[in-house]
Amino acid sequence: MDKLRVKNKIVEIDGDEMTRIMWKMVKEKLLFPFLAMDVEYYDLQLSKRDETEDRITHEAAEAIKKYGVGVKCATITPDKERVKEYNLKQVWKSPNGTIRALLDGTVFRGPIMVKNVQPAVKSWKKPITIGRHAYGDVYKNAELAIPGPGLGEIVFTPSDGGETQRMIIQEFDGPGILQGIHNLDSSIRSFARASFTYAYDQNIDLWFAVKDTISKTYDERFKNIFREVYEQEWKDKFQEAGLTYFFTLIDDAVARVMKDEGGFLWACKNYDGDVMSDMVASAFGSLAMMTSVLVSPHGYFEYEAAHGTVQKHYYKHQAGEKTSTNPVALIFAWTGCLKKRGELDSTPEVIEFAGALEESTIETIESGIMTGDVARIADPRPEGPTSTEDFIDAVALKLQQKLKGDNSGTKGD
Ligand code: NAP
Ligand code: MG
């Protein structure tokens, strides 16, 4: 079979542990036999980050800015134990956090659905994608334990010497607690822009919800910035595409989500996104069936799996055991990236290839071949779980059949 050429470069970011093992298999069995593809490779495995004093992470982010699209394997975010395990110079920051900050991006997570796994919520027929604003609020707070009676205040002192503003939060007559949080117009605007960009890109409606009836300055600001961005930058495009921007109260949104059939992007404030993304992932089935994409308001995209490096499975793998770790979200990280590359390069045959690989993956699971995490929740139950390698081989076989059967758009040059 002639290989299909991918016109421009993809930024490939390699990672750690079990996902690194699966990453290699996916490339060797599902991508490189079919594609002639140039990648700009960055190895972010922990030892390389340590060796380069984390420069490699910054370089990878810069490369995504240069080429527009990247695909990333899961990486270890070190803690004290990892510092010992890998003999690190220091506790390096989370690579995802670093890349997100450099691209000013927002992370969107969505489930990969198969017919033999029913979501826990009966009405859900289509994926619900969650976008989480990853800046500020309670995640960057100042908290005080109040020992006894006294005055709790909020104070702002302008740098330009203007008048100081202060307001009483609570006159304490006994012990209690006090918290200060903030957000930035610029960050909320980037979040709004990334959300509209991604909803439009995916051709789905956008929902956004806050508690502006109670929080008349703070949450109201989120609501107003979203409305401004919609009206000034997206309204016409959304209307032309038949898409809706739907704003409501957060409690109303939660109630509606449970009765809706899905198929939309739900943009959430930081805390709402933290909580709701875990609920939605769990209700759709397995963490290993969730994709994740970092979208920058400047139009850069980085695709990855929502899960981590699957450490426990890696230790089994190292001990020589065959594991049944699920590579589906990693496969979809690559297909997401290839689709975007194809779109930017105007190469529909690359988009078609990515579609064929996604279909082959889903059809493999629907035919009863799946890894342990999916086997546990599938209906009907399969005879047994398949090992990672056997699963990938089964997908490769289906893909070959699909590409042979359908000559359109699969010719190389
Ligand atoms: P994890 O790697 O997501 O795995 C947690 C558990 O979820 C696994 O033990 C496994 O459950 C199940 N699981 C996750 N992915 C799976 C897959 N593909 N197939 C089958 N089961 C899967 O989270 P973690 O163990 O808390 O974190 C491990 C490392 O990953 C940490 O060092 C963390 O810093 C890093 N991490 C990286 C990213 C990223 O780069 N995006 C994200 C999160 C975490 P069972 O053991 O029950 O089978
Ligand atoms: Mg969470």
Side-chain angles (χ1 to χ4, degrees), residues 11 13 42 44 55-67 95 98-103 300 302:
V11 179
I13 304 176
Y42 292 86
L44 259 58
R55 255 193 332 274
I56 187 95
T57 307
H58 292 254
E59 286 166 8
E62 290 308 320
I64 294 176
K65 286 188 188 170
K66 180 170 174 196
Y67 296 103
T98 301
I99 296 173
R100 192 169 63 214
L102 289 170
L103 300 185
Y300 315 124
E302 183 209 49

Short mmCIF file of all heavy atoms in Angstrom, two decimals, residues 11 13 42 44 55-67 95 98-103 300 302:
data_model
loop_
_atom_site.label_atom_id
_atom_site.label_comp_id
_atom_site.label_asym_id
_atom_site.label_seq_id
_atom_site.Cartn_x
_atom_site.Cartn_y
_atom_site.Cartn_z
N VAL A 11 3.81 18.43 15.73
CA VAL A 11 4.69 18.42 16.90
C VAL A 11 4.32 17.21 17.76
O VAL A 11 3.19 17.12 18.25
CB VAL A 11 4.56 19.72 17.71
CG1 VAL A 11 5.47 19.68 18.93
CG2 VAL A 11 4.87 20.93 16.84
N ILE A 13 4.95 15.04 21.10
CA ILE A 13 5.52 15.18 22.43
C ILE A 13 5.39 13.85 23.17
O ILE A 13 4.30 13.42 23.51
CB ILE A 13 4.81 16.31 23.21
CG1 ILE A 13 4.90 17.63 22.41
CG2 ILE A 13 5.41 16.46 24.60
CD1 ILE A 13 4.14 18.78 23.02
N TYR A 42 9.65 15.95 20.43
CA TYR A 42 10.14 16.41 21.73
C TYR A 42 9.92 15.31 22.75
O TYR A 42 8.78 14.87 22.93
CB TYR A 42 9.42 17.70 22.16
CG TYR A 42 9.79 18.86 21.28
CD1 TYR A 42 9.10 19.09 20.09
CD2 TYR A 42 10.86 19.68 21.59
CE1 TYR A 42 9.48 20.13 19.25
CE2 TYR A 42 11.25 20.71 20.76
CZ TYR A 42 10.55 20.93 19.59
OH TYR A 42 10.92 21.95 18.76
N LEU A 44 9.53 14.38 26.31
CA LEU A 44 9.30 14.99 27.62
C LEU A 44 9.31 13.97 28.75
O LEU A 44 8.80 14.23 29.84
CB LEU A 44 7.96 15.76 27.62
CG LEU A 44 8.10 17.29 27.47
CD1 LEU A 44 8.82 17.65 26.19
CD2 LEU A 44 6.74 17.97 27.51
N ARG A 55 13.91 22.79 29.93
CA ARG A 55 13.90 23.60 28.70
C ARG A 55 13.08 22.92 27.62
O ARG A 55 12.37 23.58 26.85
CB ARG A 55 15.33 23.80 28.20
CG ARG A 55 15.90 25.18 28.43
CD ARG A 55 17.18 25.42 27.65
NE ARG A 55 17.94 24.22 27.35
CZ ARG A 55 18.85 23.66 28.17
NH1 ARG A 55 19.11 24.21 29.34
NH2 ARG A 55 19.50 22.58 27.82
N ILE A 56 13.16 21.60 27.57
CA ILE A 56 12.49 20.83 26.52
C ILE A 56 10.98 21.09 26.51
O ILE A 56 10.36 21.15 25.45
CB ILE A 56 12.81 19.32 26.68
CG1 ILE A 56 12.29 18.48 25.53
CG2 ILE A 56 12.30 18.75 27.99
CD1 ILE A 56 13.29 18.24 24.46
N THR A 57 10.40 21.30 27.69
CA THR A 57 8.95 21.57 27.76
C THR A 57 8.62 22.91 27.10
O THR A 57 7.67 23.02 26.33
CB THR A 57 8.48 21.57 29.23
OG1 THR A 57 8.90 20.35 29.84
CG2 THR A 57 6.98 21.68 29.33
N HIS A 58 9.46 23.90 27.40
CA HIS A 58 9.26 25.23 26.80
C HIS A 58 9.44 25.16 25.28
O HIS A 58 8.69 25.77 24.52
CB HIS A 58 10.23 26.24 27.42
CG HIS A 58 9.91 26.53 28.85
ND1 HIS A 58 9.34 27.70 29.25
CD2 HIS A 58 10.04 25.77 29.97
CE1 HIS A 58 9.14 27.68 30.57
NE2 HIS A 58 9.57 26.50 31.02
N GLU A 59 10.45 24.39 24.84
CA GLU A 59 10.70 24.26 23.40
C GLU A 59 9.52 23.58 22.70
O GLU A 59 9.14 23.97 21.59
CB GLU A 59 11.98 23.47 23.15
CG GLU A 59 13.23 24.28 23.47
CD GLU A 59 14.51 23.43 23.56
OE1 GLU A 59 14.45 22.22 23.23
OE2 GLU A 59 15.54 23.98 23.97
N ALA A 60 8.93 22.60 23.36
CA ALA A 60 7.78 21.90 22.77
C ALA A 60 6.62 22.87 22.59
O ALA A 60 5.95 22.88 21.55
CB ALA A 60 7.37 20.72 23.65
N ALA A 61 6.38 23.70 23.59
CA ALA A 61 5.28 24.68 23.51
C ALA A 61 5.55 25.67 22.37
O ALA A 61 4.64 26.01 21.60
CB ALA A 61 5.11 25.40 24.83
N GLU A 62 6.81 26.12 22.25
CA GLU A 62 7.15 27.06 21.17
C GLU A 62 6.93 26.40 19.81
O GLU A 62 6.48 27.05 18.86
CB GLU A 62 8.60 27.54 21.30
CG GLU A 62 8.86 28.47 22.49
CD GLU A 62 7.90 29.66 22.57
OE1 GLU A 62 7.59 30.24 21.50
OE2 GLU A 62 7.45 29.99 23.68
N ALA A 63 7.25 25.11 19.72
CA ALA A 63 7.06 24.40 18.45
C ALA A 63 5.58 24.33 18.08
O ALA A 63 5.22 24.45 16.91
CB ALA A 63 7.66 23.00 18.54
N ILE A 64 4.71 24.16 19.08
CA ILE A 64 3.27 24.14 18.77
C ILE A 64 2.84 25.50 18.23
O ILE A 64 2.04 25.58 17.29
CB ILE A 64 2.44 23.74 20.02
CG1 ILE A 64 2.75 22.29 20.41
CG2 ILE A 64 0.94 23.90 19.74
CD1 ILE A 64 2.06 21.82 21.67
N LYS A 65 3.42 26.55 18.77
CA LYS A 65 3.10 27.88 18.24
C LYS A 65 3.55 28.00 16.78
O LYS A 65 2.91 28.64 15.97
CB LYS A 65 3.79 28.97 19.07
CG LYS A 65 3.18 29.20 20.42
CD LYS A 65 3.83 30.44 21.03
CE LYS A 65 3.42 30.63 22.47
NZ LYS A 65 4.24 31.68 23.12
N LYS A 66 4.69 27.37 16.48
CA LYS A 66 5.24 27.48 15.13
C LYS A 66 4.43 26.66 14.12
O LYS A 66 4.10 27.13 13.05
CB LYS A 66 6.70 27.02 15.15
CG LYS A 66 7.39 27.09 13.81
CD LYS A 66 8.89 26.86 13.94
CE LYS A 66 9.53 26.80 12.57
NZ LYS A 66 10.88 26.20 12.65
N TYR A 67 4.12 25.41 14.50
CA TYR A 67 3.47 24.52 13.53
C TYR A 67 1.95 24.45 13.68
O TYR A 67 1.27 23.89 12.81
CB TYR A 67 4.06 23.10 13.63
CG TYR A 67 5.52 23.07 13.24
CD1 TYR A 67 6.53 22.99 14.19
CD2 TYR A 67 5.89 23.17 11.88
CE1 TYR A 67 7.86 22.99 13.83
CE2 TYR A 67 7.23 23.17 11.52
CZ TYR A 67 8.22 23.08 12.50
OH TYR A 67 9.54 23.09 12.13
N PRO A 95 4.22 19.59 33.17
CA PRO A 95 4.42 20.02 31.79
C PRO A 95 3.12 20.57 31.19
O PRO A 95 3.13 21.53 30.43
CB PRO A 95 4.84 18.76 31.05
CG PRO A 95 5.25 17.79 32.09
CD PRO A 95 4.56 18.17 33.35
N THR A 98 2.70 24.08 32.29
CA THR A 98 3.65 24.97 31.60
C THR A 98 3.17 25.25 30.17
O THR A 98 3.13 26.39 29.73
CB THR A 98 5.05 24.30 31.56
OG1 THR A 98 5.45 24.07 32.91
CG2 THR A 98 6.07 25.18 30.86
N ILE A 99 2.79 24.18 29.45
CA ILE A 99 2.38 24.36 28.06
C ILE A 99 1.08 25.17 27.99
O ILE A 99 0.93 26.07 27.17
CB ILE A 99 2.22 22.98 27.36
CG1 ILE A 99 3.58 22.27 27.30
CG2 ILE A 99 1.63 23.15 25.95
CD1 ILE A 99 3.53 20.84 26.79
N ARG A 100 0.18 24.89 28.92
CA ARG A 100 -1.10 25.62 28.94
C ARG A 100 -0.84 27.11 29.15
O ARG A 100 -1.45 27.95 28.49
CB ARG A 100 -1.98 25.05 30.05
CG ARG A 100 -3.42 25.53 29.98
CD ARG A 100 -4.29 24.73 30.92
NE ARG A 100 -3.86 24.93 32.29
CZ ARG A 100 -3.92 24.00 33.25
NH1 ARG A 100 -4.38 22.80 32.99
NH2 ARG A 100 -3.52 24.26 34.47
N ALA A 101 0.05 27.42 30.06
CA ALA A 101 0.34 28.84 30.35
C ALA A 101 0.99 29.50 29.13
O ALA A 101 0.63 30.62 28.76
CB ALA A 101 1.23 28.95 31.56
N LEU A 102 1.93 28.80 28.47
CA LEU A 102 2.62 29.40 27.33
C LEU A 102 1.70 29.61 26.13
O LEU A 102 1.87 30.54 25.36
CB LEU A 102 3.83 28.55 26.92
CG LEU A 102 5.00 28.59 27.92
CD1 LEU A 102 6.05 27.54 27.57
CD2 LEU A 102 5.65 29.97 27.95
N LEU A 103 0.69 28.72 25.99
CA LEU A 103 -0.23 28.86 24.86
C LEU A 103 -1.48 29.64 25.26
O LEU A 103 -2.35 29.87 24.43
CB LEU A 103 -0.65 27.49 24.31
CG LEU A 103 0.45 26.57 23.78
CD1 LEU A 103 -0.15 25.33 23.16
CD2 LEU A 103 1.30 27.29 22.75
N TYR A 300 -3.98 27.64 18.22
CA TYR A 300 -3.10 26.47 18.28
C TYR A 300 -3.84 25.35 19.00
O TYR A 300 -4.58 25.62 19.95
CB TYR A 300 -1.80 26.76 19.04
CG TYR A 300 -1.14 28.06 18.68
CD1 TYR A 300 -0.87 29.01 19.66
CD2 TYR A 300 -0.79 28.33 17.37
CE1 TYR A 300 -0.26 30.22 19.33
CE2 TYR A 300 -0.18 29.54 17.04
CZ TYR A 300 0.07 30.48 18.03
OH TYR A 300 0.66 31.66 17.72
N GLU A 302 -3.46 21.39 20.83
CA GLU A 302 -2.63 20.27 21.30
C GLU A 302 -3.56 19.16 21.80
O GLU A 302 -4.37 19.38 22.69
CB GLU A 302 -1.71 20.72 22.43
CG GLU A 302 -0.78 19.60 22.89
CD GLU A 302 -0.38 19.74 24.35
OE1 GLU A 302 -1.29 19.93 25.20
OE2 GLU A 302 0.80 19.65 24.65
#
